Amino acid sequence: MKKLIVVLGVAGSSLSAVFVRVADAPPMVLVLYRVGFAAVFLLPVLVLRCRAEIRGVPPKYFICAAISGMFLSFHFTAYFQSLSYTSIASSVALVDTEVFFIALATFLLFREKLGAKHWAAILVTFSGTVVIALADAGSGNNVLLGDFLALTGACFLSVYTMLGVFCRKKMSTTVYTFTVYFSAALTLLLILCVQHVKITQYPRVNVLSGIGLAVFCTLLGHSLFSWVLKYEKPAYVSASKMLEPVFATGLGIAFFREFPSAYVAAGGALVVLGIVCYTLFNSEARPADSPDG
């Protein structure tokens, strides 16, 4: 049953590209709706169940979680913007390369050595990104800009993840995710105010898309992954997430008749294969502890 929940979580997160495509508000406004609604929906749970925990968490963890939220807002903004320029298949495959930015950071900052199998998996994934870029190159500069934004989004997501590992040592899923979403919403609100971008008066579809992103993609998507890690192996959860490009591409075909080219499909398959292999190799080398729910 819990394995099925993981798959349902992946399906929920895969809907994000559809919600973004049907909306017409600026990407940053749509991200504000997503994280803002998610924080509002979590607030009652936080107040009813987590008041004692909040009092016991050292301030430095809240500061770290707030910074993590800033990077999450940057990730969503880059990802949503990429969908304006490139295909759903390319964007989702490239934004899911987060794990390799984490590997690069740990290698450069902490001198953590990687085995030959890890480097082989990285090479396979890198080859996939090159194939996608070459396939998109003939479609114009804006398409390559979309690919670059998706990779930038993966980079921001890797920082969010690494900060989250530290924060989760003292914070439950509910307290951490609320802090992250609230911080992300506040960051976006400040940026939009400075840029004099309106945050309301858009067609109703944008608010509905924001609610859909908050409920299906965030609370019933990403948050489920944190919960199920208490019961399933991290390798299974991480590998299952790589169904997202498959689901998202299928939704793109169903809703927008957006068929990826053979080269984009091949490149995406290489990206998925490389990430799955890397995840499994990393699990074999160093089993991870399961965080709390």
PDB file of all heavy atoms in Angstrom, residues 68-99:
ATOM      1  N   SER A  68      16.409  27.900   3.172  1.00  0.00           N
ATOM      2  CA  SER A  68      15.998  26.793   2.314  1.00  0.00           C
ATOM      3  C   SER A  68      14.755  27.168   1.508  1.00  0.00           C
ATOM      4  O   SER A  68      14.651  26.878   0.310  1.00  0.00           O
ATOM      5  CB  SER A  68      15.730  25.548   3.161  1.00  0.00           C
ATOM      6  OG  SER A  68      15.311  24.463   2.371  1.00  0.00           O
ATOM      7  N   GLY A  69      13.807  27.836   2.159  1.00  0.00           N
ATOM      8  CA  GLY A  69      12.595  28.273   1.484  1.00  0.00           C
ATOM      9  C   GLY A  69      12.882  29.277   0.376  1.00  0.00           C
ATOM     10  O   GLY A  69      12.224  29.266  -0.676  1.00  0.00           O
ATOM     11  N   MET A  70      13.860  30.148   0.600  1.00  0.00           N
ATOM     12  CA  MET A  70      14.243  31.104  -0.446  1.00  0.00           C
ATOM     13  C   MET A  70      14.696  30.365  -1.701  1.00  0.00           C
ATOM     14  O   MET A  70      14.288  30.695  -2.824  1.00  0.00           O
ATOM     15  CB  MET A  70      15.360  32.018   0.066  1.00  0.00           C
ATOM     16  CG  MET A  70      14.948  33.000   1.134  1.00  0.00           C
ATOM     17  SD  MET A  70      16.371  33.903   1.826  1.00  0.00           S
ATOM     18  CE  MET A  70      17.076  34.614   0.349  1.00  0.00           C
ATOM     19  N   PHE A  71      15.523  29.345  -1.516  1.00  0.00           N
ATOM     20  CA  PHE A  71      16.020  28.594  -2.672  1.00  0.00           C
ATOM     21  C   PHE A  71      14.908  27.774  -3.321  1.00  0.00           C
ATOM     22  O   PHE A  71      14.917  27.570  -4.532  1.00  0.00           O
ATOM     23  CB  PHE A  71      17.190  27.708  -2.259  1.00  0.00           C
ATOM     24  CG  PHE A  71      18.495  28.441  -2.203  1.00  0.00           C
ATOM     25  CD1 PHE A  71      18.975  28.957  -1.013  1.00  0.00           C
ATOM     26  CD2 PHE A  71      19.245  28.629  -3.355  1.00  0.00           C
ATOM     27  CE1 PHE A  71      20.165  29.649  -0.961  1.00  0.00           C
ATOM     28  CE2 PHE A  71      20.445  29.314  -3.318  1.00  0.00           C
ATOM     29  CZ  PHE A  71      20.913  29.841  -2.119  1.00  0.00           C
ATOM     30  N   LEU A  72      13.938  27.319  -2.516  1.00  0.00           N
ATOM     31  CA  LEU A  72      12.808  26.611  -3.106  1.00  0.00           C
ATOM     32  C   LEU A  72      12.001  27.546  -4.003  1.00  0.00           C
ATOM     33  O   LEU A  72      11.546  27.145  -5.080  1.00  0.00           O
ATOM     34  CB  LEU A  72      11.910  26.037  -2.008  1.00  0.00           C
ATOM     35  CG  LEU A  72      10.718  25.214  -2.503  1.00  0.00           C
ATOM     36  CD1 LEU A  72      11.184  23.951  -3.217  1.00  0.00           C
ATOM     37  CD2 LEU A  72       9.779  24.862  -1.342  1.00  0.00           C
ATOM     38  N   SER A  73      11.845  28.794  -3.573  1.00  0.00           N
ATOM     39  CA  SER A  73      11.119  29.760  -4.407  1.00  0.00           C
ATOM     40  C   SER A  73      11.872  30.016  -5.710  1.00  0.00           C
ATOM     41  O   SER A  73      11.257  30.155  -6.776  1.00  0.00           O
ATOM     42  CB  SER A  73      10.908  31.068  -3.641  1.00  0.00           C
ATOM     43  OG  SER A  73      12.115  31.790  -3.471  1.00  0.00           O
ATOM     44  N   PHE A  74      13.196  30.077  -5.645  1.00  0.00           N
ATOM     45  CA  PHE A  74      13.991  30.260  -6.865  1.00  0.00           C
ATOM     46  C   PHE A  74      13.857  29.041  -7.782  1.00  0.00           C
ATOM     47  O   PHE A  74      13.792  29.180  -9.010  1.00  0.00           O
ATOM     48  CB  PHE A  74      15.465  30.473  -6.510  1.00  0.00           C
ATOM     49  CG  PHE A  74      15.728  31.674  -5.643  1.00  0.00           C
ATOM     50  CD1 PHE A  74      16.853  31.721  -4.814  1.00  0.00           C
ATOM     51  CD2 PHE A  74      14.865  32.762  -5.635  1.00  0.00           C
ATOM     52  CE1 PHE A  74      17.101  32.823  -4.014  1.00  0.00           C
ATOM     53  CE2 PHE A  74      15.106  33.873  -4.829  1.00  0.00           C
ATOM     54  CZ  PHE A  74      16.226  33.898  -4.011  1.00  0.00           C
ATOM     55  N   HIS A  75      13.839  27.857  -7.171  1.00  0.00           N
ATOM     56  CA  HIS A  75      13.689  26.624  -7.958  1.00  0.00           C
ATOM     57  C   HIS A  75      12.371  26.619  -8.720  1.00  0.00           C
ATOM     58  O   HIS A  75      12.345  26.390  -9.940  1.00  0.00           O
ATOM     59  CB  HIS A  75      13.753  25.407  -7.037  1.00  0.00           C
ATOM     60  CG  HIS A  75      13.062  24.195  -7.592  1.00  0.00           C
ATOM     61  ND1 HIS A  75      13.544  23.485  -8.678  1.00  0.00           N
ATOM     62  CD2 HIS A  75      11.897  23.579  -7.216  1.00  0.00           C
ATOM     63  CE1 HIS A  75      12.716  22.489  -8.953  1.00  0.00           C
ATOM     64  NE2 HIS A  75      11.711  22.522  -8.088  1.00  0.00           N
ATOM     65  N   PHE A  76      11.275  26.862  -8.010  1.00  0.00           N
ATOM     66  CA  PHE A  76       9.968  26.836  -8.665  1.00  0.00           C
ATOM     67  C   PHE A  76       9.873  27.903  -9.755  1.00  0.00           C
ATOM     68  O   PHE A  76       9.297  27.664 -10.820  1.00  0.00           O
ATOM     69  CB  PHE A  76       8.860  27.053  -7.628  1.00  0.00           C
ATOM     70  CG  PHE A  76       8.527  25.834  -6.816  1.00  0.00           C
ATOM     71  CD1 PHE A  76       8.222  25.940  -5.464  1.00  0.00           C
ATOM     72  CD2 PHE A  76       8.498  24.580  -7.393  1.00  0.00           C
ATOM     73  CE1 PHE A  76       7.901  24.830  -4.711  1.00  0.00           C
ATOM     74  CE2 PHE A  76       8.175  23.449  -6.652  1.00  0.00           C
ATOM     75  CZ  PHE A  76       7.877  23.574  -5.308  1.00  0.00           C
ATOM     76  N   THR A  77      10.421  29.086  -9.480  1.00  0.00           N
ATOM     77  CA  THR A  77      10.355  30.161 -10.466  1.00  0.00           C
ATOM     78  C   THR A  77      11.103  29.787 -11.741  1.00  0.00           C
ATOM     79  O   THR A  77      10.594  29.980 -12.854  1.00  0.00           O
ATOM     80  CB  THR A  77      10.941  31.457  -9.885  1.00  0.00           C
ATOM     81  OG1 THR A  77      10.189  31.847  -8.722  1.00  0.00           O
ATOM     82  CG2 THR A  77      10.891  32.584 -10.911  1.00  0.00           C
ATOM     83  N   ALA A  78      12.314  29.248 -11.593  1.00  0.00           N
ATOM     84  CA  ALA A  78      13.096  28.849 -12.767  1.00  0.00           C
ATOM     85  C   ALA A  78      12.396  27.728 -13.534  1.00  0.00           C
ATOM     86  O   ALA A  78      12.337  27.739 -14.777  1.00  0.00           O
ATOM     87  CB  ALA A  78      14.494  28.403 -12.336  1.00  0.00           C
ATOM     88  N   TYR A  79      11.842  26.763 -12.798  1.00  0.00           N
ATOM     89  CA  TYR A  79      11.154  25.634 -13.433  1.00  0.00           C
ATOM     90  C   TYR A  79       9.903  26.105 -14.175  1.00  0.00           C
ATOM     91  O   TYR A  79       9.676  25.748 -15.340  1.00  0.00           O
ATOM     92  CB  TYR A  79      10.804  24.592 -12.369  1.00  0.00           C
ATOM     93  CG  TYR A  79       9.892  23.488 -12.831  1.00  0.00           C
ATOM     94  CD1 TYR A  79      10.106  22.821 -14.033  1.00  0.00           C
ATOM     95  CD2 TYR A  79       8.793  23.113 -12.057  1.00  0.00           C
ATOM     96  CE1 TYR A  79       9.250  21.815 -14.453  1.00  0.00           C
ATOM     97  CE2 TYR A  79       7.940  22.107 -12.468  1.00  0.00           C
ATOM     98  CZ  TYR A  79       8.169  21.460 -13.668  1.00  0.00           C
ATOM     99  OH  TYR A  79       7.321  20.472 -14.084  1.00  0.00           O
ATOM    100  N   PHE A  80       9.074  26.902 -13.515  1.00  0.00           N
ATOM    101  CA  PHE A  80       7.850  27.390 -14.151  1.00  0.00           C
ATOM    102  C   PHE A  80       8.182  28.230 -15.381  1.00  0.00           C
ATOM    103  O   PHE A  80       7.501  28.144 -16.403  1.00  0.00           O
ATOM    104  CB  PHE A  80       7.029  28.223 -13.160  1.00  0.00           C
ATOM    105  CG  PHE A  80       6.331  27.408 -12.102  1.00  0.00           C
ATOM    106  CD1 PHE A  80       6.592  26.058 -11.924  1.00  0.00           C
ATOM    107  CD2 PHE A  80       5.405  27.998 -11.251  1.00  0.00           C
ATOM    108  CE1 PHE A  80       5.954  25.313 -10.948  1.00  0.00           C
ATOM    109  CE2 PHE A  80       4.756  27.272 -10.272  1.00  0.00           C
ATOM    110  CZ  PHE A  80       5.037  25.922 -10.112  1.00  0.00           C
ATOM    111  N   GLN A  81       9.221  29.068 -15.272  1.00  0.00           N
ATOM    112  CA  GLN A  81       9.614  29.898 -16.409  1.00  0.00           C
ATOM    113  C   GLN A  81      10.115  29.045 -17.564  1.00  0.00           C
ATOM    114  O   GLN A  81       9.863  29.355 -18.736  1.00  0.00           O
ATOM    115  CB  GLN A  81      10.709  30.882 -15.991  1.00  0.00           C
ATOM    116  CG  GLN A  81      11.061  31.916 -17.048  1.00  0.00           C
ATOM    117  CD  GLN A  81       9.939  32.902 -17.308  1.00  0.00           C
ATOM    118  OE1 GLN A  81       9.450  33.551 -16.388  1.00  0.00           O
ATOM    119  NE2 GLN A  81       9.504  33.004 -18.547  1.00  0.00           N
ATOM    120  N   SER A  82      10.794  27.952 -17.252  1.00  0.00           N
ATOM    121  CA  SER A  82      11.331  27.087 -18.316  1.00  0.00           C
ATOM    122  C   SER A  82      10.207  26.502 -19.163  1.00  0.00           C
ATOM    123  O   SER A  82      10.377  26.280 -20.368  1.00  0.00           O
ATOM    124  CB  SER A  82      12.173  25.960 -17.714  1.00  0.00           C
ATOM    125  OG  SER A  82      11.366  24.957 -17.102  1.00  0.00           O
ATOM    126  N   LEU A  83       9.050  26.266 -18.535  1.00  0.00           N
ATOM    127  CA  LEU A  83       7.922  25.684 -19.259  1.00  0.00           C
ATOM    128  C   LEU A  83       7.331  26.651 -20.289  1.00  0.00           C
ATOM    129  O   LEU A  83       6.550  26.247 -21.139  1.00  0.00           O
ATOM    130  CB  LEU A  83       6.840  25.245 -18.279  1.00  0.00           C
ATOM    131  CG  LEU A  83       7.190  24.014 -17.432  1.00  0.00           C
ATOM    132  CD1 LEU A  83       6.218  23.866 -16.265  1.00  0.00           C
ATOM    133  CD2 LEU A  83       7.187  22.746 -18.281  1.00  0.00           C
ATOM    134  N   SER A  84       7.723  27.934 -20.199  1.00  0.00           N
ATOM    135  CA  SER A  84       7.278  28.911 -21.189  1.00  0.00           C
ATOM    136  C   SER A  84       8.090  28.815 -22.475  1.00  0.00           C
ATOM    137  O   SER A  84       7.691  29.356 -23.503  1.00  0.00           O
ATOM    138  CB  SER A  84       7.395  30.338 -20.623  1.00  0.00           C
ATOM    139  OG  SER A  84       6.624  30.494 -19.454  1.00  0.00           O
ATOM    140  N   TYR A  85       9.240  28.148 -22.406  1.00  0.00           N
ATOM    141  CA  TYR A  85      10.158  28.139 -23.545  1.00  0.00           C
ATOM    142  C   TYR A  85      10.410  26.754 -24.133  1.00  0.00           C
ATOM    143  O   TYR A  85      10.611  26.612 -25.333  1.00  0.00           O
ATOM    144  CB  TYR A  85      11.501  28.747 -23.133  1.00  0.00           C
ATOM    145  CG  TYR A  85      11.415  30.167 -22.664  1.00  0.00           C
ATOM    146  CD1 TYR A  85      11.697  30.502 -21.343  1.00  0.00           C
ATOM    147  CD2 TYR A  85      11.040  31.194 -23.533  1.00  0.00           C
ATOM    148  CE1 TYR A  85      11.616  31.813 -20.900  1.00  0.00           C
ATOM    149  CE2 TYR A  85      10.964  32.505 -23.104  1.00  0.00           C
ATOM    150  CZ  TYR A  85      11.256  32.804 -21.782  1.00  0.00           C
ATOM    151  OH  TYR A  85      11.173  34.102 -21.344  1.00  0.00           O
ATOM    152  N   THR A  86      10.447  25.743 -23.276  1.00  0.00           N
ATOM    153  CA  THR A  86      10.810  24.410 -23.759  1.00  0.00           C
ATOM    154  C   THR A  86       9.674  23.425 -23.491  1.00  0.00           C
ATOM    155  O   THR A  86       8.674  23.773 -22.849  1.00  0.00           O
ATOM    156  CB  THR A  86      12.108  23.923 -23.106  1.00  0.00           C
ATOM    157  OG1 THR A  86      12.588  22.753 -23.782  1.00  0.00           O
ATOM    158  CG2 THR A  86      11.915  23.600 -21.636  1.00  0.00           C
ATOM    159  N   SER A  87       9.833  22.216 -23.967  1.00  0.00           N
ATOM    160  CA  SER A  87       8.775  21.221 -23.828  1.00  0.00           C
ATOM    161  C   SER A  87       8.686  20.703 -22.394  1.00  0.00           C
ATOM    162  O   SER A  87       9.637  20.799 -21.612  1.00  0.00           O
ATOM    163  CB  SER A  87       9.026  20.048 -24.780  1.00  0.00           C
ATOM    164  OG  SER A  87      10.183  19.335 -24.377  1.00  0.00           O
ATOM    165  N   ILE A  88       7.530  20.141 -22.058  1.00  0.00           N
ATOM    166  CA  ILE A  88       7.350  19.533 -20.740  1.00  0.00           C
ATOM    167  C   ILE A  88       8.353  18.405 -20.538  1.00  0.00           C
ATOM    168  O   ILE A  88       8.965  18.274 -19.476  1.00  0.00           O
ATOM    169  CB  ILE A  88       5.907  19.017 -20.584  1.00  0.00           C
ATOM    170  CG1 ILE A  88       4.927  20.187 -20.517  1.00  0.00           C
ATOM    171  CG2 ILE A  88       5.764  18.128 -19.346  1.00  0.00           C
ATOM    172  CD1 ILE A  88       3.465  19.782 -20.486  1.00  0.00           C
ATOM    173  N   ALA A  89       8.547  17.580 -21.572  1.00  0.00           N
ATOM    174  CA  ALA A  89       9.464  16.441 -21.472  1.00  0.00           C
ATOM    175  C   ALA A  89      10.878  16.909 -21.150  1.00  0.00           C
ATOM    176  O   ALA A  89      11.550  16.366 -20.256  1.00  0.00           O
ATOM    177  CB  ALA A  89       9.448  15.639 -22.770  1.00  0.00           C
ATOM    178  N   SER A  90      11.367  17.926 -21.870  1.00  0.00           N
ATOM    179  CA  SER A  90      12.724  18.430 -21.643  1.00  0.00           C
ATOM    180  C   SER A  90      12.851  19.070 -20.268  1.00  0.00           C
ATOM    181  O   SER A  90      13.808  18.808 -19.527  1.00  0.00           O
ATOM    182  CB  SER A  90      13.100  19.446 -22.721  1.00  0.00           C
ATOM    183  OG  SER A  90      13.151  18.862 -23.991  1.00  0.00           O
ATOM    184  N   SER A  91      11.874  19.916 -19.913  1.00  0.00           N
ATOM    185  CA  SER A  91      11.958  20.650 -18.661  1.00  0.00           C
ATOM    186  C   SER A  91      11.969  19.719 -17.456  1.00  0.00           C
ATOM    187  O   SER A  91      12.814  19.852 -16.562  1.00  0.00           O
ATOM    188  CB  SER A  91      10.778  21.625 -18.555  1.00  0.00           C
ATOM    189  OG  SER A  91      10.821  22.330 -17.338  1.00  0.00           O
ATOM    190  N   VAL A  92      11.045  18.772 -17.408  1.00  0.00           N
ATOM    191  CA  VAL A  92      10.944  17.887 -16.248  1.00  0.00           C
ATOM    192  C   VAL A  92      12.165  16.973 -16.143  1.00  0.00           C
ATOM    193  O   VAL A  92      12.682  16.734 -15.053  1.00  0.00           O
ATOM    194  CB  VAL A  92       9.640  17.062 -16.313  1.00  0.00           C
ATOM    195  CG1 VAL A  92       9.563  16.086 -15.143  1.00  0.00           C
ATOM    196  CG2 VAL A  92       8.431  17.974 -16.288  1.00  0.00           C
ATOM    197  N   ALA A  93      12.645  16.470 -17.276  1.00  0.00           N
ATOM    198  CA  ALA A  93      13.826  15.598 -17.243  1.00  0.00           C
ATOM    199  C   ALA A  93      15.045  16.358 -16.720  1.00  0.00           C
ATOM    200  O   ALA A  93      15.823  15.834 -15.909  1.00  0.00           O
ATOM    201  CB  ALA A  93      14.110  15.040 -18.640  1.00  0.00           C
ATOM    202  N   LEU A  94      15.220  17.603 -17.160  1.00  0.00           N
ATOM    203  CA  LEU A  94      16.395  18.378 -16.758  1.00  0.00           C
ATOM    204  C   LEU A  94      16.296  18.872 -15.323  1.00  0.00           C
ATOM    205  O   LEU A  94      17.303  18.897 -14.598  1.00  0.00           O
ATOM    206  CB  LEU A  94      16.588  19.565 -17.708  1.00  0.00           C
ATOM    207  CG  LEU A  94      16.944  19.193 -19.155  1.00  0.00           C
ATOM    208  CD1 LEU A  94      16.954  20.430 -20.041  1.00  0.00           C
ATOM    209  CD2 LEU A  94      18.301  18.486 -19.217  1.00  0.00           C
ATOM    210  N   VAL A  95      15.102  19.248 -14.880  1.00  0.00           N
ATOM    211  CA  VAL A  95      14.967  19.757 -13.523  1.00  0.00           C
ATOM    212  C   VAL A  95      15.151  18.633 -12.492  1.00  0.00           C
ATOM    213  O   VAL A  95      15.465  18.908 -11.319  1.00  0.00           O
ATOM    214  CB  VAL A  95      13.600  20.456 -13.340  1.00  0.00           C
ATOM    215  CG1 VAL A  95      12.498  19.473 -13.008  1.00  0.00           C
ATOM    216  CG2 VAL A  95      13.676  21.554 -12.281  1.00  0.00           C
ATOM    217  N   ASP A  96      15.007  17.396 -12.918  1.00  0.00           N
ATOM    218  CA  ASP A  96      15.187  16.266 -12.004  1.00  0.00           C
ATOM    219  C   ASP A  96      16.646  15.833 -11.863  1.00  0.00           C
ATOM    220  O   ASP A  96      16.924  14.810 -11.232  1.00  0.00           O
ATOM    221  CB  ASP A  96      14.344  15.072 -12.474  1.00  0.00           C
ATOM    222  CG  ASP A  96      12.896  15.180 -12.032  1.00  0.00           C
ATOM    223  OD1 ASP A  96      12.636  15.897 -11.051  1.00  0.00           O
ATOM    224  OD2 ASP A  96      12.021  14.561 -12.662  1.00  0.00           O
ATOM    225  N   THR A  97      17.587  16.589 -12.440  1.00  0.00           N
ATOM    226  CA  THR A  97      19.015  16.259 -12.300  1.00  0.00           C
ATOM    227  C   THR A  97      19.597  16.816 -11.002  1.00  0.00           C
ATOM    228  O   THR A  97      20.819  16.837 -10.834  1.00  0.00           O
ATOM    229  CB  THR A  97      19.818  16.810 -13.496  1.00  0.00           C
ATOM    230  OG1 THR A  97      19.632  18.237 -13.583  1.00  0.00           O
ATOM    231  CG2 THR A  97      19.361  16.177 -14.802  1.00  0.00           C
ATOM    232  N   GLU A  98      18.748  17.225 -10.096  1.00  0.00           N
ATOM    233  CA  GLU A  98      19.172  17.791  -8.807  1.00  0.00           C
ATOM    234  C   GLU A  98      20.242  16.964  -8.102  1.00  0.00           C
ATOM    235  O   GLU A  98      21.212  17.499  -7.542  1.00  0.00           O
ATOM    236  CB  GLU A  98      17.942  17.914  -7.913  1.00  0.00           C
ATOM    237  CG  GLU A  98      18.227  18.134  -6.447  1.00  0.00           C
ATOM    238  CD  GLU A  98      17.241  17.418  -5.543  1.00  0.00           C
ATOM    239  OE1 GLU A  98      16.335  16.733  -6.064  1.00  0.00           O
ATOM    240  OE2 GLU A  98      17.382  17.538  -4.314  1.00  0.00           O
ATOM    241  N   VAL A  99      20.097  15.645  -8.125  1.00  0.00           N
ATOM    242  CA  VAL A  99      20.996  14.775  -7.363  1.00  0.00           C
ATOM    243  C   VAL A  99      22.447  14.949  -7.777  1.00  0.00           C
ATOM    244  O   VAL A  99      23.365  14.822  -6.958  1.00  0.00           O
ATOM    245  CB  VAL A  99      20.564  13.293  -7.507  1.00  0.00           C
ATOM    246  CG1 VAL A  99      20.697  12.807  -8.935  1.00  0.00           C
ATOM    247  CG2 VAL A  99      21.372  12.406  -6.570  1.00  0.00           C
TER     248      VAL A  99
END
